[in-house]
Amino acid sequence: SEEKLTNAYKQFAIVLNSFDAMVYVSDWETYKVLFTNSYMNKAYGNIVGKICWKCLREDQPDSCQFCKQHSGAPKGDYPPFSNQWEDYNNISKTWFHAQSRQIQWVDGNKARLVIATDITQRKIIESALMESEKKFRSFFDNAGIGMSLCDISGNYLKVNRALCQMLGYSEQVLLNKNA
């Protein structure tokens, strides 16, 4: 009955709108957006009926590289293709971890389901960690005093030039010794 169908759609919408991620479906061949969840609508407005890559990417002349990888997929069983990637979006100024999967849409045609989670904070933290590691490595390597990192058994894991000079051994020899 029509009431059951309406209730099923409402339940479906509740589930997809509860994700803290962008969810959209686009036609496999035309890239026309067929569905977006509320998170997606907040970020980009209502883009249903529009070409996804024209709405979600800035200055892009064609479909995204991630979708092009599967553009020649054979027709048939679903879902033969899935893909994951991380990407920076220059419109929203955010990093995303995205997963796409080929699905069969309600009209029977192939479609692309994409779920994109904002990972901007993680990328900021990773960048800060890499910068901190770079500073530590520079400090360690260029210190005027002998320094080493050892494991719990006293085996050298890393030694700097000053320690090598002080002890009269090469880095390779020290790394094979016990402190």
Side-chain angles (χ1 to χ4, degrees), residues 37-91:
N37 72 344
S38 58
Y39 193 101
M40 184 81 176
N41 291 337
K42 286 178 194 169
Y44 293 96
N46 182 4
I47 61 170
V48 172
K50 298 178 181 175
I51 306 301
C52 58
W53 55 268
K54 289 182 179 180
C55 300
L56 304 177
R57 308 302 260 168
E58 195 171 75
D59 301 326
Q60 185 155 319
D62 199 356
S63 62
C64 304
Q65 64 179 354
F66 318 109
C67 294
K68 283 182 185 177
Q69 291 173 341
H70 298 155
S71 62
K75 297 190 185 295
D77 294 340
Y78 298 88
F81 294 104
S82 64
N83 197 8
Q84 292 188 43
W85 67 93
E86 290 183 0
D87 190 42
Y88 181 76
N89 186 289
N90 56 4
I91 293 176

Side-chain angles (χ1 to χ4, degrees), residues 17 22 24 38 43 49 55 63 74-75 88 93 96 102 150 155 166 171:
N17 287 329
M22 290 189 276
Y24 72 95
S38 58
C55 300
S63 62
K75 297 190 185 295
Y88 181 76
K93 308 293 186 228
F96 291 100
Q102 182 183 5
C150 298
N155 299 308
M166 187 171 79
E171 180 181 359

